[in-house]
Amino acid sequence: MSASTKTRTYEYVVIDPQGKKSKGKVDATTESAAAAALRQQGVTPLAISESGSGLNKELSLFPGRRKKVSLKDLAIFARQFATMTSSGLSLLRSLAILEEQTESPTLQKAIRDVRRDIEGGLSLSVAMGKQDIVFPRLMIAMIRAGETGGFLDSALDRIAMNLEKDANLRAKIKSALTYPVIVICFSLLMITGVLIFIVPIFQNMFKNLGGSLPLPTQIMVSLSHNILWVGPLVAGIGMVSTKLFKKRLHDDYPTRLKFDTFKLKLPVFGKLLTKIAISRFARNLGTLLAVGVPIMQALDIVGGTTGNAVIGEAMNDVAASVRNGQPMSTPLEKHDVFPAMVTQMLEVGEETGQVSAMLDKVADFYDHEVETATESLTAAIEPIMVVVMGALVGVMVICLYLPMFTIYQHIQGAG
């Protein structure tokens, strides 16, 4: 028997006509043959995998935890998906091609599961909703609206455009932060090298010449002796504290709201973070409204996708006002995070019936503002980092040469 016709055991999850799910195993030569055999039994396959393929999952150090899909991968997936469907390819054919092309294992598995669910009779939005860890709520809501309104192609195109602009915005911010991060890492390596290799040489020299070491030099010598265990300890404490703090932000909404409010009030960086939050708010809300997502659902989604609890609170106020028949622009005026220009343009959009178009213009304006701000910030950070590095080197040199004065006085006294 050839390898291609060898019978294998497949594990499956199926649903019967009454809606009851069940699991089991079936022998077949291929996954498709297993699916065909199950359909002949009058059940719909939801998932089929070769028996034993779940071993890696069982041995995982973090069971149930999947690697996050990058925004760039999602943007590429959305653009290719939109292009294929607009060219006349079926959903299943498009998803099969995308499954083969994507480089992200997590996204590949999600696409495979979506394709199988569609083969089982589910709609695209419902199938993607089952993979909400991978696909954002914004994307799922827009696809659902596109399916309902019969314009899935244009909805996919808007999704791709939205994700691409968000990815470009994040890329510009990361580019601006690359230089200071490199300088900080280099400074830490330099300090560690001086403490491990240079300070012990000076210590032995000072010990032979006699005299007591000044306090700053004693601190450096002490760090030099203990750096091999103090460094990892400090790094470990920092990593654990960061994880605990992130968990607290995720689980405790009042803490997240206070922290996000604090971030927006930071000097220099606060204005940049505010512009980023407004850009995401305008882009996401404008995109959702443009494809026909109901306004209440759109406001709920936007409140959770801007990445800032302050904007989320504002969306709650807007939703309450809309329920009472008031325009969206009225409650936004009460929130300091939104400049007058944003509320005024939104008000004009409401008066002219062009809310989504006005929001797109606001998003484009703040995207440009963020780009300008990051360039200015980068230009300002470079000389600051040079000064900081110079100050660190200067302090270390002074600490190493301070004992010279004590030694000189000791030699004079002995003479």
Side-chain angles (χ1 to χ4, degrees), residues 332-349:
L332 288 185
E333 296 176 353
K334 303 175 184 177
H335 295 269
D336 296 334
V337 67
F338 294 100
M341 186 204 76
V342 175
T343 57
Q344 290 171 3
M345 290 189 69
L346 183 56
E347 186 176 354
V348 172

Side-chain angles (χ1 to χ4, degrees), residues 22 24 26 36 58 85 96 111 127 178 260 274 290 312 320 332 354 379 385 409:
S22 59
V26 63
E58 294 175 3
T85 54
I111 296 172
T178 299
D260 287 345
T274 301
L332 288 185
Q354 299 291 326
M385 296 306 296
Q409 292 175 355

Side-chain angles (χ1 to χ4, degrees), residues 123-409:
S123 65
L124 177 61
S125 59
V126 173
M128 293 182 73
K130 294 173 64 176
Q131 309 295 327
D132 56 354
I133 296 178
V134 175
F135 302 111
R137 291 177 61 199
L138 182 78
M139 189 176 190
I140 297 168
M142 291 175 66
I143 288 176
R144 184 177 296 114
E147 288 176 329
T148 304
F151 48 87
L152 182 59
D153 292 351
S154 59
L156 288 170
D157 188 64
R158 291 281 305 202
I159 290 169
M161 188 185 305
N162 187 77
L163 290 173
E164 285 167 352
K165 290 187 176 181
D166 200 3
N168 289 335
L169 182 64
R170 294 191 184 187
K172 291 173 184 176
I173 297 169
K174 288 182 179 180
S175 176
L177 296 176
T178 299
Y179 177 77
V181 169
I182 291 175
V183 172
I184 290 172
C185 293
F186 177 77
S187 300
L188 291 175
L189 287 174
M190 181 190 68
I191 292 172
T192 302
V194 169
L195 290 174
I196 294 176
F197 300 107
I198 306 300
V199 172
I201 296 175
F202 275 80
Q203 182 191 7
N204 293 332
M205 182 179 67
F206 297 148
K207 185 177 181 180
N208 294 332
L209 293 174
S212 59
L213 298 177
L215 180 60
T217 309
Q218 290 179 8
I219 294 174
M220 284 194 65
V221 171
S222 179
L223 282 174
S224 175
H225 289 166
N226 301 292
I227 189 66
L228 294 179
W229 68 268
V230 170
L233 178 64
V234 171
I237 292 174
M239 292 175 62
V240 172
S241 300
T242 301
K243 285 187 175 294
L244 291 176
F245 183 65
K246 286 183 177 179
K247 188 177 185 304
R248 177 70 181 272
L249 290 178
H250 182 269
D251 298 337
D252 188 38
Y253 181 77
T255 301
R256 184 164 73 253
L257 180 59
K258 291 179 181 178
F259 182 68
D260 287 345
T261 303
F262 168 75
K263 287 195 300 184
L264 297 182
K265 293 181 179 179
L266 286 171
V268 183
F269 291 96
K271 291 183 178 180
L272 177 60
L273 294 173
T274 301
K275 292 173 181 177
I276 294 171
I278 294 175
S279 173
R280 286 179 180 168
F281 149 76
R283 181 77 63 200
N284 293 347
L285 183 57
T287 302
L288 289 167
L289 296 178
V291 299
V293 176
I295 187 170
M296 298 303 298
Q297 184 183 356
L299 291 171
D300 177 58
I301 293 172
V302 169
T305 56
T306 56
N308 194 289
V310 177
I311 302 292
E313 284 291 297
M315 292 303 99
N316 292 335
D317 291 346
V318 173
S321 297
V322 172
R323 287 193 196 96
N324 296 329
Q326 297 180 10
M328 290 188 292
S329 56
T330 302
L332 288 185
E333 296 176 353
K334 303 175 184 177
H335 295 269
D336 296 334
V337 67
F338 294 100
M341 186 204 76
V342 175
T343 57
Q344 290 171 3
M345 290 189 69
L346 183 56
E347 186 176 354
V348 172
E350 289 172 331
E351 293 174 354
T352 59
Q354 299 291 326
V355 175
S356 61
M358 281 296 179
L359 287 170
D360 286 343
K361 290 180 180 179
V362 170
D364 290 337
F365 173 80
Y366 277 97
D367 282 349
H368 179 70
E369 286 286 296
V370 169
E371 183 177 355
T372 304
T374 51
E375 290 175 357
S376 301
L377 187 61
T378 303
I381 285 178
E382 289 181 5
I384 292 174
M385 296 306 296
V386 171
V387 171
V388 170
M389 283 192 64
L392 288 173
V393 173
V395 168
M396 296 185 74
V397 169
I398 291 172
C399 290
L400 289 175
Y401 279 92
L402 272 177
M404 295 295 185
F405 301 103
T406 306
I407 294 170
Y408 179 72
Q409 292 175 355

Side-chain angles (χ1 to χ4, degrees), residues 89-130:
L89 290 178
S90 66
L91 286 180
L92 289 175
R93 178 59 177 160
S94 300
L95 290 170
I97 295 172
L98 290 169
E99 181 186 339
E100 295 177 0
Q101 289 183 349
T102 184
E103 297 179 357
S104 169
T106 302
L107 181 57
Q108 187 179 52
K109 182 181 183 304
I111 296 172
R112 184 185 308 120
D113 292 341
V114 168
R115 180 173 55 81
R116 288 171 176 170
D117 286 341
I118 293 175
E119 289 175 344
L122 297 182
S123 65
L124 177 61
S125 59
V126 173
M128 293 182 73
K130 294 173 64 176

